[in-house]
C-alpha cells in the first residue's frame, strides 16, 4: 500500500469510504437495494438472506462509517432506523437484570428517559454530570458507562480516555455518544471506548431529511450482540435512508468544517450582547470545556448554546429570525434554533437557546441573529 493510500485525509476518506471499485458503465455509488427477501436456494448461507438481517445498501454505509470511526483498524458498524434505536441496542444487548449502568445526568433527554425502562428490567442506573469527569465516582461495580461528549444540549465535555481507562479497570464497558462531534471531530474508539454510537439523523447525513443511527465497535463479540438485538427488535434502516446517508458522507468534511467555523463566529458575536449569557461552544478559547475538547477533538461541532433573560424574551427572539428556522434537532446544512426548555426534561433555564449553525455565509447568520436580538429587546 502506498503512503497516499494508507494516509488519506478526512475529506478523501469521507468521499470514498464504502464505495466499490470503479467499474466500466456502473455508477460510483450503486443505488439502494429494495428487497424483503433474496433468492436463497439450498442451505441458509450469507451474505444476504432476508431483509431484516442484512442489505447490500446497509453494508456499504456501514463499511463507510467504520472507515471514518476507526481508520486503519478493523471495526464493525451496525446501522439502525434512528439514533435511539442504536442507543437502545447497546444498552439492552449488553446489560442484564442486576447490572448497573452509569448515565450522564445531562445527556440527551431521550437517552435519559431509558432509565425507567432499564430499572423496570432490574438494572440499576446511576446518574452523574458530564463536566469535571464526575462519572468517575459512580463506576464501582458498573457493567456499562455511557458517555455523551459534548453533552446535548449543555455542551459540556469530559475526558474520554480518562473515563474509559477507569471504567475498564472497574470491569465496565464504555459507550460514547459521538453524535455532536461526528467521527471527523472525535474518534472515541481511539480513546479507549468499546462503542461509538451516534444519531446519523444529525450532522452525519446533514440535510435534515432522514432518520438514522449507528453503532461501531472493534470487538466482534460486542457487535454480535448488537446485531442480534437489531434483528430481533427489527430496528433496521430503510435502504433509501441508508443510501441517502452514504451519499451525504461525500460532503461531511466540507459541512462540518464550515459549520464549526460559522459556529465560532456566531458565538463570538453573541458574547458581545449584554442580554445574552452563558454562551457555550467548545471551540471558544475561554469556554469551560475548551482545554479538554482541544485534547481529544479535531472539530468542535455546529451547536452553540446561550441563554436569554426569560421565556418571553427567547420566544420573541425566535419569532424574529428570518434565515434561521425554529426547529429541533441539529447538524443540518440549514441553521435552526429552539428554546430547549419547551420539551421539558432538560435542566436548562426557560430562556435557554440551542442554536444549530448551518453552512450559510457566517455574516448572514450573524446578521440574522443580531437583528432578531435587536427586535426581541425592543
Amino acid at each position: 500500500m502506498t503512503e497516499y493510500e494508507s494516509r488519506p485525509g478526512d475529506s478523501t476518506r469521507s468521499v470514498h469510504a464504502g464505495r466499490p471499485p470503479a467499474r466500466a458503465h456502473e455508477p460510483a455509488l450503486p443505488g439502494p437495494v429494495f428487497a424483503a427477501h433474496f433468492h436463497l436456494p439450498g442451505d441458509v448461507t450469507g451474505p444476504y438472506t432476508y431483509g431484516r438481517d442484512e442489505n447490500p445498501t446497509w453494508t456499504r454505509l456501514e463499511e463507510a462509517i467504520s472507515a471514518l470511526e476507526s481508520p486503519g483498524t478493523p471495526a464493525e458498524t451496525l446501522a439502525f432506523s434512528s439514533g435511539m434505536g442504536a442507543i437502545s441496542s447497546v444498552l439492552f444487548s449488553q446489560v442484564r437484570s442486576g447490572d448497573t449502568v452509569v448515565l450522564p445526568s445531562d445527556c440527551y433527554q431521550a437517552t435519559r428517559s431509558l432509565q425507567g425502562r432499564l430499572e423496570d428490567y432490574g438494572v440499576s442506573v446511576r446518574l452523574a454530570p458530564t463536566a469535571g469527569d464526575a462519572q468517575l465516582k459512580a463506576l464501582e461495580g458498573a457493567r456499562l458507562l455511557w458517555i455523551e461528549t459534548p453533552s446535548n444540549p449543555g455542551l459540556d465535555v469530559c475526558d474520554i480516555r480518562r473515563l474509559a481507562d477507569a471504567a475498564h479497570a472497574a470491569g465496565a464497558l464504555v459507550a460514547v455518544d459521538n453524535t455532536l462531534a461526528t467521527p471527523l471531530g472525535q474518534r472515541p474508539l481511539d480513546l479507549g471506548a468499546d462503542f461509538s454510537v451516534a444519531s446519523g439523523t444529525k450532522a452525519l447525513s446533514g440535510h435534515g431529511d432522514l432518520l438514522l443511527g449507528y453503532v461501531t465497535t472493534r470487538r466482534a463479540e460486542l457487535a454480535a450482540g448488537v446485531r442480534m438485538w437489531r434483528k430481533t427488535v427489527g430496528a433496521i434502516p430503510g435502504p433509501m435512508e441508508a443510501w441517502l446517508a452514504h451519499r451525504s458522507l461525500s460532503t461531511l468534511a466540507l459541512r462540518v468544517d464550515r459549520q464549526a467555523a460559522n459556529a465560532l463566529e456566531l458565538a463570538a458575536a453573541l458574547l458581545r450582547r449584554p442580554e445574552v449569557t452563558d454562551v457555550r461552544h467548545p471551540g471558544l478559547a475561554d469556554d469551560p470545556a475548551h482545554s479538554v475538547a482541544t485534547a481529544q477533538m479535531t472539530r468542535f461541532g455546529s451547536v452553540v448554546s446561550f441563554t436569554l433573560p426569560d421565556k418571553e424574551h427567547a420566544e420573541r427572539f425566535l419569532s424574529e429570525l428570518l434565515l434561521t428556522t425554529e426547529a429541533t434537532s441539529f447538524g443540518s446544512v440549514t441553521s435552526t434554533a429552539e428554546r430547549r426548555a419547551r420539551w421539558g426534561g432538560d435542566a436548562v433555564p426557560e430562556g435557554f437557546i440551542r442554536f444549530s449553525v448551518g453552512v450559510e455565509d457566517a455574516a448572514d447568520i450573524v446578521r440574522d441573529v443580531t437583528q432578531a436580538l435587536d427586535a426581541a429587546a425592543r
Side-chain angles (χ1 to χ4, degrees), residues 23-341:
R23 296 187 178 91
H25 317 301
E26 293 188 10
L29 179 63
V33 174
F34 298 100
H37 54 80
F38 300 84
H39 183 53
L40 189 63
D43 293 336
V44 177
T45 58
Y48 304 108
T49 60
Y50 182 61
R52 195 179 67 250
D53 297 341
E54 296 290 349
N55 179 289
T57 311
W58 307 350
T59 300
R60 285 188 286 270
L61 173 64
E62 290 166 348
E63 290 175 349
I65 294 173
S66 291
L68 300 181
E69 286 279 359
S70 186
T73 304
E76 290 186 61
T77 293
L78 284 301
F80 285 81
S81 53
S82 69
M84 285 308 300
I87 290 167
S88 299
S89 78
V90 173
L91 288 168
F92 291 107
S93 69
Q94 302 303 317
V95 302
R96 302 290 183 271
S97 179
D99 287 342
T100 296
V101 170
V102 180
L103 293 178
S105 57
D106 54 341
C107 66
Y108 176 48
Q109 61 172 312
T111 302
R112 197 167 60 254
S113 72
L114 292 174
Q115 177 180 356
R117 181 59 60 196
L118 288 164
E119 290 172 342
D120 287 345
Y121 292 157
V123 176
S124 297
V125 177
R126 299 176 190 153
L127 300 175
T130 298
D133 300 339
Q135 291 175 296
L136 286 170
K137 298 178 181 179
L139 292 175
E140 184 178 355
R143 164 63 179 168
L144 188 146
L145 167 65
W146 190 273
I147 297 170
E148 184 178 287
T149 182
S151 62
N152 173 28
L155 302 182
D156 279 318
V157 171
C158 60
D159 187 329
I160 296 173
R161 173 67 70 183
R162 183 185 183 202
L163 284 163
D165 287 348
H168 290 152
L173 295 169
V174 178
V176 176
D177 187 327
N178 204 34
T179 301
L180 199 146
T182 81
L184 297 192
Q186 179 173 270
R187 293 206 289 268
L189 301 182
D190 285 350
L191 297 169
D194 300 293
F195 298 97
S196 184
V197 187
S199 169
T201 307
K202 313 297 195 296
L204 189 88
S205 57
H207 290 77
D209 55 5
L210 61 87
L211 295 176
L212 196 84
Y214 71 85
V215 177
T216 304
T217 180
R218 291 171 177 169
R219 295 174 56 180
E221 75 278 13
L222 298 181
V226 173
R227 188 183 302 276
M228 180 56 70
W229 180 265
R230 180 180 69 174
K231 174 180 178 177
T232 53
V233 303
I236 59 172
M240 191 65 189
E241 286 79 4
W243 184 85
L244 285 169
H246 195 173
R247 180 206 61 174
S248 297
L249 290 182
S250 297
T251 60
L252 178 60
L254 299 174
R255 289 185 281 106
V256 297
D257 281 343
R258 178 65 170 263
Q259 288 170 308
N262 284 354
L264 273 178
E265 291 208 34
L266 175 61
L270 290 167
L271 288 170
R272 297 191 290 268
R273 301 288 303 206
E275 76 274 36
V276 175
T277 58
D278 299 323
V279 178
R280 296 296 305 272
H281 183 268
L284 287 170
D286 58 352
D287 188 273
H290 183 69
S291 60
V292 178
T294 299
Q296 67 189 20
M297 299 180 72
T298 55
R299 294 169 174 87
F300 299 113
S302 64
V303 178
V304 177
S305 69
F306 57 96
T307 302
L308 293 172
D310 52 40
K311 175 182 176 180
E312 290 72 23
H313 197 122
E315 295 286 2
R316 290 198 303 273
F317 163 71
L318 292 167
S319 69
E320 294 289 344
L321 290 167
L322 303 174
L323 182 69
T324 303
T325 302
E326 186 175 357
T328 194
S329 197
F330 57 86
S332 176
V333 291
T334 59
S335 292
T336 61
E338 71 169 334
R339 191 179 67 82
R340 190 63 189 166

